Amino acid sequence: MPTRSATAHTRLTTPRQRAAWLLLALAVLTVLLTALGASVGSTGFDSVLRLADDPMAARIVWDIRLPRSLGAWLAGALLGLSGAVAQGLFRNPLAEPFLLGSASGASLGVASALALFGVAPATAWLAKLGLTGAAFVGAVVAVLLTLQLARGVQHTLRLLLAGVIVGVVLGAIKDLITLASPDIIAAMQGFNLGSAGFIGWASCVLMLLAWCVCMAGAWVFSRALDGLSLGESTAASLGLPLVPMRVALVAVLALSTGTAVAQTGLIAFVGLAAPHLVRSMVKVTHAWLVLLASLMGGVLLLGADVLARWVIAPQELPVGVLTAVLGGGYLLWLMHRRTGQGGVL
């Protein structure tokens, strides 16, 4: 009887079942945090309590808080997904979504738009394109420069070094533009600190479409990530077409990161910490990892956004600062624990 009990228990705790339970837990947390996010704001819970009787309260909840909460989750999901792809692509658990220079490119795009058209532009073209469009274009251009400098995606180390170089150079150009136009410093600071406060329903739809495309691409090419985790020679011996798969994964990484950064600004540690949290709970292949890391990233950023609005209400903290503090603290703890056990990240 004890043997049968132990066998039954083992069957109930297989990696796939643990992954399914984690998926369910993250889905429940998403629903709860979204409801909480729609209830928390500068007016506290008053708008929710007066939702049925006050048209202004209903507008605050449905047109401001709810899209902000869903947008924060979607941006975090995109960053968590891109973090899992980056760590698998570069075979480095410390890889993060901004390695290809997309963050510096997005910052340069925003700085250029602000310097050219002013902090409060009146031109119809910029009003239509917006700073989010400038940030996305900058992120894509940065990734294309990285690919050009690395001469493709054949060599992972060259791609990584090219991303670092492009990020440093574009960051320096952005600093020069900021120094030449000091009136944009405050706006650039808001972008660099990150915020979900300007996300509306249109942004949510855009990020949802990008998430569906990127998740489908990452899932289709998850076998390549599994092969790369064993080494490039092993992956090649398995008959995997590494070059086209790398191209597709870099496209997923660029699209997911660029879309998130364009909507929320620079938010640190979500893409780095989300895959680590998932791997600390379950041991799964990349087909599961990219999905779970994406959901974990959404929960992390949504939770951080709710805290940012709640801690010093009616004012709020920059969510990027909060994720940096919490994510950095978690990674320091993880590094200390692994070092004490004689392991590495």
Side-chain angles (χ1 to χ4, degrees):
M1 290 296 294
T3 304
R4 291 182 181 178
S5 177
T7 303
H9 178 72
T10 302
R11 289 174 180 172
L12 291 174
T13 56
T14 62
R16 186 181 294 273
Q17 289 174 329
R18 287 196 295 271
W21 279 110
L22 178 59
L23 177 66
L24 179 61
L26 291 174
V28 171
L29 279 174
T30 296
V31 173
L32 294 177
L33 286 173
T34 301
L36 183 60
S39 306
V40 173
S42 59
T43 59
F45 292 92
D46 186 56
S47 295
V48 175
L49 296 177
R50 295 186 294 109
L51 185 62
D53 303 325
D54 189 346
M56 182 58 67
R59 183 177 179 184
I60 289 173
V61 172
W62 294 112
D63 294 337
I64 298 177
R65 292 182 183 176
L66 187 57
R68 172 175 180 162
S69 299
L70 292 175
W73 186 92
L74 286 166
L78 286 167
L79 291 174
L81 169 62
S82 58
V85 170
Q87 292 175 14
L89 182 63
F90 294 110
R91 302 199 309 276
N92 188 335
L94 293 179
E96 48 95 22
F98 303 147
L99 279 179
L100 297 183
S102 56
S104 297
S107 297
L108 177 59
V110 170
S112 301
L114 289 172
L116 287 172
F117 301 101
V119 177
T123 60
W125 176 82
L126 187 62
K128 183 177 180 181
L129 179 62
L131 295 181
T132 59
F136 182 76
V137 170
V140 171
V141 169
V143 173
L144 293 177
L145 287 175
T146 299
L147 294 176
Q148 181 65 30
L149 184 61
R151 298 177 182 176
V153 297
Q154 291 86 349
H155 303 286
T156 304
L157 180 59
R158 182 186 295 173
L159 186 65
L160 179 61
L161 293 176
V164 173
I165 294 170
V166 168
V168 171
V169 172
L170 295 185
I173 296 174
K174 181 263 297 181
D175 291 337
L176 290 175
I177 293 175
T178 305
L179 289 174
S181 306
D183 55 315
I184 71 172
I185 291 178
M188 284 304 302
Q189 184 181 27
F191 180 83
N192 292 330
L193 292 177
S195 174
F198 302 103
I199 295 178
W201 285 115
S203 298
C204 289
V205 172
L206 178 64
M207 285 192 287
L208 178 59
L209 292 175
W211 183 81
C212 291
V213 172
C214 292
M215 179 57 66
W219 186 82
V220 168
F221 294 102
S222 59
R223 187 164 174 248
L225 294 173
D226 292 334
L228 286 172
S229 66
L230 302 175
E232 293 198 15
S233 58
T234 303
S237 67
L238 294 174
L240 297 175
L242 293 183
V243 173
M245 285 184 169
R246 279 202 193 98
V247 171
L249 290 171
V250 167
V252 168
L253 178 58
L255 178 60
S256 57
T257 305
T259 304
V261 169
Q263 302 299 328
T264 62
L266 305 182
I267 295 181
F269 280 104
V270 172
L272 179 60
H276 276 284
L277 283 169
V278 172
R279 283 194 293 264
S280 69
M281 298 176 185
V282 293
K283 305 297 181 185
V284 290
T285 62
H286 280 88
W288 274 96
L289 179 63
V290 291
L291 175 60
L292 293 174
S294 181
L295 297 181
M296 182 68 75
V299 168
L300 288 178
L301 185 51
L302 177 54
D305 184 59
V306 172
L307 280 178
R309 287 183 271 161
W310 202 351
V311 171
I312 57 172
Q315 304 201 4
E316 64 179 69
L317 292 170
V319 68
V321 174
L322 198 57
T323 58
V325 171
L326 297 177
Y330 165 73
L331 290 177
L332 284 173
W333 171 80
L334 182 64
M335 183 175 65
H336 175 74
R337 190 185 70 169
R338 295 289 179 87
T339 303
Q341 295 174 350
V344 295
L345 282 176

